[in-house]
């Protein structure tokens, strides 16, 4: 679908110079001399590189809509992760490098959203938080205050995070999947 250059908004996916880009920042600029334009910071969906472009209101750009489907994580096989589409039961295989650091949070049966364009997966989105068990936590140092100090702990998936002093080995905690941080103690 064609849209005017000044209609680009943050989060829009556009096709520009034969590549797919997502608008990260937009700013409407009206210089004292000449016509107004939209200054847009674009990030490539494939390579992850960024560029800045100016789009005049008379310019037409192709807005792209991505297909987004829920997939269930089935299992890992070496560096491959196997997912199943929820309605058609079609399975896809994604490399751990494609998923990135978020692969450490995948759990059997977890539902994730896979965004694709023309059948090619472009990104994966995990739930914002997961519940994991603390495998190992350092003992509390006497005199530490509970409000501002944190101690290192290792989760069941091998990830190291900082937790409050009252968290001990064997406890279940909620962890933010976006920045790998402790959120709260899980309610059992």
């Amino acid at each position: 679908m064609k849209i005017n250059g000044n209609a680009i908004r943050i989060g829009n996916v556009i096709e520009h110079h034969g590549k797919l880009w997502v608008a990260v920042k937009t700013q409407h600029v009206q210089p004292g001399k000449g016509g107004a334009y939209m200054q847009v910071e674009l990030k490539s969906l494939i390579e992850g590189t960024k560029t800045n472009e100016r789009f005049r209101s008379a310019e037409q750009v192709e807005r792209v809509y991505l297909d987004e489907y829920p997939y269930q994580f089935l299992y890992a096989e070496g560096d491959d992760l196997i997912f199943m589409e929820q309605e058609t039961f079609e399975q896809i295989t994604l490399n751990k490098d494609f998923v990135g650091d978020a692969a450490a949070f995948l759990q059997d049966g977890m539902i994730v959203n896979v965004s694709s364009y023309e059948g090619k997966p472009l990104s994966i989105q995990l739930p914002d938080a997961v519940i994991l068990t603390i495998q190992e936590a350092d003992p509390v140092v006497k005199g530490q205050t509970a409000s501002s100090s944190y101690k290192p702990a290792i989760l069941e998936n091998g990830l190291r995070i900082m937790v409050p002093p009252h968290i001990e080995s064997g406890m279940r905690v909620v962890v933010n999947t976006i920045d790998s941080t402790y959120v709260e103690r899980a309610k059992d």
Side-chain angles (χ1 to χ4, degrees):
M1 174 175 120
K2 294 268 189 197
I3 60 171
N4 288 336
N6 63 352
I8 298 172
R9 300 289 177 257
I10 294 173
N12 287 164
V13 177
I14 63 169
E15 188 172 343
H16 185 62
H17 297 305
K19 294 182 180 178
L20 293 179
W21 303 85
V22 63
V24 180
K25 290 182 187 172
T26 61
Q27 180 182 2
H28 189 267
V29 179
Q30 191 161 359
K33 185 177 180 184
Y37 58 88
M38 185 68 79
Q39 181 75 31
V40 182
E41 182 178 321
L42 298 170
K43 182 177 179 184
S44 171
L45 284 175
I46 308 297
E47 293 128 20
T49 57
K50 289 186 177 179
T51 186
N52 283 302
E53 293 286 336
R54 290 181 177 179
F55 295 99
R56 303 235 177 250
S57 61
E59 285 183 69
Q60 295 280 309
V61 292
E62 186 69 34
R63 181 161 178 205
V64 175
Y65 291 95
L66 300 179
D67 299 322
E68 195 169 291
Y69 295 104
Y71 279 79
Q72 180 180 17
F73 174 64
L74 297 178
Y75 59 93
E77 190 174 82
D79 282 345
D80 292 333
L81 304 169
I82 315 303
F83 297 88
M84 179 179 67
E85 208 271 323
Q86 292 293 280
E87 292 179 17
T88 63
F89 304 111
E90 173 189 336
Q91 292 185 9
I92 61 168
T93 302
L94 300 176
N95 193 293
K96 279 187 181 175
D97 292 338
F98 175 82
V99 177
D101 295 338
F105 294 110
L106 287 171
Q107 298 170 342
D108 291 344
M110 178 183 279
I111 304 297
V112 299
N113 285 326
V114 176
S115 298
S116 60
Y117 180 66
E118 295 179 348
K120 183 179 192 282
L122 296 175
S123 66
I124 184 169
Q125 184 180 3
L126 272 65
D128 291 340
V130 294
I131 297 175
L132 294 166
T133 304
I134 299 288
Q135 190 171 26
E136 185 181 315
D138 289 353
V140 178
V141 176
K142 189 174 182 176
Q144 267 186 326
T145 58
S147 61
S148 64
S149 62
Y150 279 74
K151 63 181 184 179
I154 298 173
L155 298 169
E156 63 184 273
N157 62 2
L159 203 66
R160 187 178 201 87
I161 64 167
M162 299 300 284
V163 297
H166 67 275
I167 302 295
E168 299 171 0
S169 296
M171 288 184 169
R172 293 171 47 81
V173 295
V174 178
V175 179
N176 184 329
T177 59
I178 297 166
D179 58 6
S180 303
T181 56
Y182 167 86
V183 177
E184 64 183 357
R185 185 173 172 184
K187 294 164 183 61
D188 291 326

